[in-house]
């Protein structure tokens, strides 16, 4: 803590010296003046805890100086103690208090009384400073909370817009499909619009979940070996169509040797690159978006992989760039209205990159010139696998043959049961349905299905309890949980209850068939 300042004013240097020696301490800074004019100047330059004023001085008395002090806004509440050799009588005391003093001390001074009185005002000053600091801190926190509430309110309003817009398309085109006079091309266009907007809604929900995981410090990664060349090819293919639709070029250049394999969370890496490069394409009306990738060997069997993403888009001002990586914020509200989006993509991508030992940085940007982002991550080298993306896609596109297999679908929502039935239509399996846990147990006991697809959140009896009772009854065949809860701990809870696998809703057909193949066919 800074030293407490005390002002001593006396026209006699010997008196100043004597009083200074009497009250000096390591935590005090004593500042002196032998003229009232000098004292007034010091009062404007310093923050004093106490002023000790001599009463009898030439040109201006201590009483007059005190009245000046009380007339200045900065010092109007400064405690003043008069020090005088005049006879102690009621007139002097009255005049001292009338001039604005808090106390008077009469010479000869009693050292104990002087130190006690001075210490009282030193303690008061320190308490006032602590209180002021606390009040400033409270005010700062209040303003920050107001700003956070405003940002979240704006975010929620934007989220409402972002959800309702694709939802309107999903519901609207669903209504269009029930019209009997639609041609085949119109039906396909409607179905494509429903699928496209459904994907958009799913990405939006995933972003919100990722943000909540980041704030709760619960990000998790699923590591597996992958081919780095396939990653770049996948990014180029996925975003190439988006760039082509806008009439701009997407260039992907790799300065790394072919055939590299790494062990990491491929989906998270794609999420980062699709977010950053997707933004670059979104905000570029003409010109190009370029991705340059290069490798820097690192320690302990790891490589530092760096992606440079450059665009010729609208760019970002220096002021807007300060809000770029803040949750619930976007660079500019007008930009958000024009281009859409929640403002979460870059926030999430940066945290993902940091969790992989790297970072996401805005290297440079200028309005109407473009932006340059750098993504880095530390990846573990791997021996990999010989299966290519094309081979994986081909295997997933093949319908599995489940001739004669009985599959029990347990879900309280009839539309969800109908969807699974349609998914499984070409697998030649027999689909049994149950609307709750009690029905599931009854059907299991009567039909002994080869596989159970179990919803978790149901009335009467939830999926956890249903699985536990089914297992307790001696059922040993596979059970796959289908849950709308996307948190990792929910998946673990399903496994603990007795499930052999977990799928998060909405489960895609390929994803569902692949999981069934894992637990039933192999």
């Amino acid at each position: 803590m800074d030293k407490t300042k005390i002002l001593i004013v006396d026209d006699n240097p010997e008196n100043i010296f004597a009083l200074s020696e009497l009250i000096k301490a390591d935590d005090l800074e004593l500042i002196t003046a032998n003229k009232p004019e000098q004292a007034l100047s010091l009062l404007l330059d310093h923050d004093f805890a106490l002023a000790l004023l001599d009463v009898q001085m030439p040109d201006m008395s201590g009483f007059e100086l005190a009245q000046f002090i009380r007339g200045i806004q900065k010092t109007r509440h400064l405690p003043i103690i008069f020090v005088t050799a005049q006879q102690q009588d009621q007139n002097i005391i009255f005049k001292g208090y009338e001039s604005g003093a808090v106390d008077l001390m009469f010479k000869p001074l009693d050292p104990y009384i002087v130190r006690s009185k001075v210490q009282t005002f030193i303690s008061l000053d320190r308490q006032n400073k602590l209180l002021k600091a606390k009040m400033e801190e409270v005010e700062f926190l209040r303003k920050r909370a107001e700003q956070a509430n405003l940002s979240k309110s704006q975010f929620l309003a934007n989220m409402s817009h972002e959800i309702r817009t694709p939802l309107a398309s999903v519901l609207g085109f669903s209504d269009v499909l029930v019209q009997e006079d639609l041609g085949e091309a119109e039906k396909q266009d409607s179905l494509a619009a429903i699928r496209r907007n459904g994907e958009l809604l799913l990405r939006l929900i995933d972003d919100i979940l990722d943000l909540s995981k980041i704030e709760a410090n619960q990000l998790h990664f699923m590591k597996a070996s992958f081919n780095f060349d396939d990653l770049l090819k996948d990014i180029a293919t996925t975003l190439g169509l988006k760039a082509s639709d806008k009439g701009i070029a997407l260039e992907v250049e790799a300065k790394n040797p072919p055939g590299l394999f790494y062990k990491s969370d491929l989906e998270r890496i794609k999420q980062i690159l699709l977010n950053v490069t997707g933004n670059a394409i979104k905000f570029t009306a003409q010109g190009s978006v370029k991705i340059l990738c290069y490798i820097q060997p690192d320690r302990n069997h790891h490589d530092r992989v760096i992606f440079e993403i450059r665009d010729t888009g609208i760019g970002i001002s220096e002021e807007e760039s300060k809000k770029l990586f803040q949750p619930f914020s976007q660079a500019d509200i007008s930009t958000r209205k024009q281009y859409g989006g929640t403002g979460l993509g870059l926030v999430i991508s940066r945290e993902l990159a940091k969790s992989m030992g790297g970072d996401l940085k805005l290297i440079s940007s200028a309005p109407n010139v473009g932006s340059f982002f750098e993504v880095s991550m530390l990846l573990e080298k791997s021996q990999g696998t010989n299966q290519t993306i094309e081979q994986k896609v081909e295997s997933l596109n093949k319908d599995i043959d489940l001739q004669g297999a009985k599959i029990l679908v347990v879900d309280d929502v009839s539309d969800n049961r109908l969807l699974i039935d349609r998914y499984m239509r070409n697998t030649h399996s027999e689909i049994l349905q149950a609307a709750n846990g009690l029905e599931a147990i009854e059907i299991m006991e009567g039909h002994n299905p080869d596989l159970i697809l179990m919803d978790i959140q149901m009335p009467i009896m939830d999926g956890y309890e249903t699985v536990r009772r089914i297992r307790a009854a001696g059922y040993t065949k596979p059970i796959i949980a289908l849950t709308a809860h996307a948190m990792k701990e929910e998946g673990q809870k399903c496994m603990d209850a007795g499930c052999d696998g977990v799928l998060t809703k909405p489960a895609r057909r390929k994803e569902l068939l692949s999981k069934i193949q894992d637990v039933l066919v192999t």
Side-chain angles (χ1 to χ4, degrees), residues 51-75:
L52 299 171
L53 308 184
D54 183 29
V55 172
Q56 290 181 315
M57 293 185 290
D59 300 327
M60 184 187 297
S61 71
F63 296 143
E64 293 170 322
L65 175 58
Q67 290 173 345
F68 273 106
I69 292 173
R70 288 289 174 260
I72 300 172
Q73 180 65 29
K74 179 183 177 183
T75 59

Side-chain angles (χ1 to χ4, degrees), residues 85-181:
Q86 290 181 285
Q87 183 178 357
Q88 184 173 350
D89 60 37
Q90 291 299 319
N91 290 332
I92 291 293
I93 295 173
F94 178 76
K95 193 171 183 180
Y97 288 132
E98 189 179 50
S99 300
V102 295
D103 206 349
L104 291 88
M105 294 191 298
F106 294 90
K107 299 176 183 177
L109 298 174
D110 183 318
Y112 176 78
I113 293 176
V114 172
R115 293 192 190 101
S116 296
K117 289 185 176 182
V118 170
Q119 188 59 48
T120 297
F121 289 100
I122 291 172
S123 298
L124 286 173
D125 178 70
R126 288 175 180 166
Q127 291 297 322
N128 286 335
K129 286 179 178 177
L130 287 173
L131 180 60
K132 183 180 179 182
K134 287 293 183 184
M135 290 177 66
E136 288 174 351
E137 181 182 359
V138 169
E139 180 64 13
F140 170 77
L141 293 173
R142 183 188 67 80
K143 288 182 177 179
R144 192 167 71 174
E146 284 181 353
Q147 184 60 44
N149 285 335
L150 178 61
S151 296
K152 288 191 177 184
S153 295
Q154 291 173 344
F155 169 78
L156 290 173
N158 184 46
M159 287 298 299
S160 175
H161 174 270
E162 293 299 316
I163 291 173
R164 287 175 180 274
T165 299
L167 191 58
S169 294
V170 170
L171 296 176
F173 281 106
S174 297
D175 287 340
V176 169
L177 283 174
V178 302
Q179 299 177 21
E180 297 181 359
D181 57 346

Side-chain angles (χ1 to χ4, degrees), residues 267-489:
E267 293 306 313
R268 289 299 193 183
I269 295 174
K270 285 182 182 179
Q271 182 179 353
I272 296 170
L273 296 176
L274 291 174
N275 264 330
V276 179
T277 312
N279 268 0
I281 294 171
K282 184 200 306 190
F283 295 116
T284 300
Q286 57 185 5
S288 65
V289 174
K290 299 179 181 179
I291 304 175
L292 173 63
C293 172
Y294 57 94
I295 308 292
Q296 292 179 346
D298 209 282
R299 62 189 183 280
N300 298 333
H301 202 62
H302 284 71
D303 282 342
R304 185 162 297 279
V305 182
I306 298 172
F307 299 89
E308 295 181 352
I309 298 101
R310 303 173 189 262
D311 66 63
T312 58
I314 63 174
I316 306 166
S317 69
E318 184 177 351
E319 183 64 28
E320 290 169 346
S321 67
K322 295 176 182 178
K323 298 185 288 184
L324 201 58
F325 295 104
Q326 295 177 9
F328 310 109
S329 298
Q330 282 185 316
D332 180 44
I333 292 178
S334 62
T335 302
R336 181 176 66 206
K337 288 180 179 178
Q338 182 177 353
Y339 293 95
T342 61
L344 298 178
L346 289 181
V347 178
I348 294 168
S349 297
R350 186 181 214 181
E351 293 301 321
L352 290 175
K354 285 183 175 180
S355 297
M356 294 182 181
D359 203 352
L360 166 58
K361 301 176 183 177
L362 174 62
I363 304 300
S364 64
S365 187
N368 303 315
V369 175
S371 302
F372 170 20
F373 286 87
E374 180 187 272
V375 177
S376 63
M377 55 192 75
L378 196 63
L379 300 182
E380 180 185 356
K381 295 178 184 178
S382 172
Q383 295 301 315
T385 173
N386 293 324
Q387 190 178 30
T388 64
I389 286 178
E390 289 80 4
Q391 290 170 326
K392 292 175 184 175
V393 171
E394 184 181 356
S395 72
L396 284 175
N397 282 333
K398 291 181 179 178
D399 282 323
I400 58 176
D401 189 354
L402 301 175
Q403 183 71 44
K406 294 179 182 179
I407 298 177
L408 171 59
V409 180
V410 187
D411 200 304
D412 63 305
V413 179
S414 59
D415 286 344
N416 291 340
R417 301 196 302 273
L418 177 62
L419 179 63
I420 299 298
D421 182 75
R422 295 294 184 268
Y423 277 173
M424 305 299 295
R425 175 167 290 180
N426 294 328
T427 64
H428 309 110
S429 58
E430 179 184 352
I431 301 299
L432 309 172
Q433 297 187 24
N436 57 62
L438 291 179
E439 286 185 17
I441 294 171
E442 184 179 343
I443 293 173
M444 181 274 298
E445 291 174 342
H447 296 269
N448 190 27
D450 299 291
L451 169 70
I452 298 176
L453 301 177
M454 180 68 67
D455 183 30
I456 295 301
Q457 189 167 313
M458 297 183 294
I460 303 177
M461 183 187 296
D462 65 26
Y464 303 120
E465 181 62 24
T466 305
V467 171
R468 282 191 285 266
R469 292 196 184 189
I470 287 175
R471 291 302 189 200
Y475 183 84
T476 59
K477 296 177 182 179
I479 300 176
I480 297 175
L482 295 175
T483 175
H485 295 290
M487 297 299 186
K488 183 181 179 182
E489 54 268 23

